Amino acid sequence: RGRSESCAAFSVLFLTVGWSSAAFVVSRLLERWSEADAILFGSILMIPAVIGAALGVALTWPIPVIFGAFFVMGLSIGFVSTAGLTLLQASADDSEMGRVNSAHQFIRTIGITYGVAVGGAILLFVVGNQVGDVEVVRDVLGGEDVIASGATLDAIRDGLVWVLGFSGIAGLACIAAAAVLWRNTRRLATST
């Protein structure tokens, strides 16, 4: 959209603020909810956020609307990540707390790394198929002074929509996993 790399990087702020906000809310909410409730809620919250972001990018909605969708994505991640860590900590001995925290951080980092790699591959695949040249994407992301053609910008937009579509599919799988966790923790709670 003709904005700077700084503006693109600024979009991550909304994910981060959403994640941090959810961490605070979860810390208060767990007095009434179980961790599995918060994980399931966060997983469900991801779907409308991803759909909103995908529609916003595809239909060139105003940037603040897209950033709002990113904020809700961050909320979703914060609910799942914070409640997941709390659930792991509650099920571990005090002597194992360091390992539990390290394992959670490691898995979260691996998930982010794979997510970025898959997203980048999808973006480059779409641009490569539509334009035939992915080097311009690398130059744009690298902050080079490149004037991309309209076709390239459209391909980047389409690629981002496909990335968000993949994220939505992954989010549906997370809802299924969260529902199993929720059901199993309910079953354990009623059997004790």
Side-chain angles (χ1 to χ4, degrees):
R1 295 193 183 182
R3 303 282 175 100
S4 67
E5 296 84 22
S6 300
C7 181
F10 189 64
S11 67
V12 177
L13 173 69
F14 293 91
L15 289 164
T16 305
V17 170
W19 187 333
S20 301
S21 299
F24 175 76
V25 169
V26 167
S27 73
R28 302 292 181 210
L29 196 58
L30 289 181
E31 295 170 6
R32 292 181 294 267
W33 283 17
S34 73
E35 289 88 352
D37 293 336
I39 291 169
L40 182 59
F41 176 77
S43 298
I44 292 169
L45 186 62
M46 178 62 77
I47 300 306
V50 170
I51 290 170
L55 287 173
V57 170
L59 302 174
T60 61
W61 288 350
I63 295 289
V65 173
I66 297 169
F67 285 170
F70 287 174
F71 174 79
V72 177
M73 279 188 227
L75 285 174
S76 173
I77 294 167
F79 267 89
V80 172
S81 180
T82 305
L85 177 60
T86 305
L87 180 64
L88 286 173
Q89 290 172 337
S91 62
D93 292 332
D94 288 342
S95 63
E96 298 293 319
M97 207 54 65
R99 290 181 183 169
V100 167
N101 292 335
S102 295
H104 181 267
Q105 186 174 5
F106 176 75
I107 293 299
R108 189 179 69 201
T109 302
I110 292 295
I112 291 168
T113 302
Y114 281 131
V116 169
V118 169
I122 292 169
L123 177 67
L124 292 176
F125 178 78
V126 171
V127 171
N129 279 340
Q130 289 185 9
V131 179
D133 179 24
V134 297
E135 291 303 317
V136 69
V137 174
R138 291 186 180 117
D139 292 343
V140 167
L141 292 175
E144 302 285 329
D145 287 331
V146 174
I147 298 175
S149 68
T152 300
L153 296 176
D154 289 345
I156 292 170
R157 181 199 63 226
D158 294 346
L160 185 53
V161 170
W162 278 99
V163 169
L164 291 165
F166 172 81
S167 299
I169 292 168
L172 289 174
C174 290
I175 290 174
V180 169
L181 173 69
W182 183 83
R183 188 174 49 243
N184 288 341
T185 56
R186 288 282 182 207
R187 188 177 309 134
L188 286 173
T190 57
S191 68
T192 57

